[in-house]
Amino acid sequence: MAFPLVAFSDRSISDTFAALICHGVLDRFPRVRLATIENGAMWVPDLLRNLKICHGKMPWEFKRHPVEAFVENVWVSPYFEDDMDLIKDCIGADRMLFGSDYPHAEGLAEPASYIDDIAGFSDVEVRKVMRDNAYELLSASAP
């Protein structure tokens, strides 16, 4: 059935992060680090747009700007076919993670070819996406 795949494909992950942010989890636990893996990233721009709109209408519902909370606490692993420049514009290269789960659909037979999908990124940004961001996410010494 095509309709559910189109209409609800990103709802679960987007709704999960909306709930975490709107219900204050990231404010109660400001050092928590969350990663979204095997969900792609094309849901992120719409979620951030909706959070920004909500904050504009009801800022008293948030201890800090919800987009800021997302960007500070969440790392995202885009699918190779996602719009990498758009995702970088939304969350920055610092919060993007390389991921490959070949032979699953979101993986690449040659995982290092993911670099081709971020060809417009600087060398520093490529290193962050391909290695440094995962290290930071998992590091016990990070703030």
Side-chain angles (χ1 to χ4, degrees):
M1 295 173 59
F3 178 74
L5 182 62
V6 173
F8 307 118
S9 67
D10 294 332
R11 285 296 303 270
S12 296
I13 191 63
S14 184
D15 289 353
T16 298
F17 278 93
L20 289 167
I21 293 168
C22 292
H23 292 299
V25 172
L26 301 182
D27 292 323
R28 290 192 305 278
F29 303 98
R31 293 176 49 135
V32 72
R33 297 167 187 201
L34 303 169
T36 171
I37 311 294
E38 292 192 11
N39 293 296
M42 293 310 295
W43 55 272
V44 172
D46 283 339
L47 173 62
L48 298 185
R49 179 181 50 83
N50 290 333
L51 288 170
K52 181 179 178 183
I53 290 168
C54 183
H55 181 265
K57 293 178 180 179
M58 300 187 322
W60 60 87
E61 289 289 326
F62 302 94
K63 288 186 179 179
R64 61 182 164 151
H65 199 290
V67 173
E68 177 185 305
F70 185 95
V71 172
E72 287 181 12
N73 296 86
V74 179
W75 282 255
V76 178
S77 179
Y79 292 148
F80 65 90
E81 67 267 16
D82 286 349
D83 184 336
M84 299 297 189
D85 291 326
L86 175 61
I87 301 307
K88 182 174 80 167
D89 288 346
C90 290
I91 62 173
D94 292 343
R95 291 298 183 259
M96 296 172 68
L97 298 170
F98 159 71
S100 180
D101 196 10
Y102 184 78
H104 292 180
E106 66 273 5
L108 296 166
E110 295 294 329
S113 69
Y114 191 89
I115 292 171
D116 298 338
D117 297 305
I118 55 175
F121 288 29
S122 71
D123 290 345
V124 170
E125 291 170 332
V126 168
R127 182 178 170 98
K128 286 179 179 185
V129 172
M130 298 300 290
R131 178 198 177 275
D132 293 351
N133 293 344
Y135 182 80
E136 179 187 347
L137 170 65
L138 299 173
S139 174
S141 63

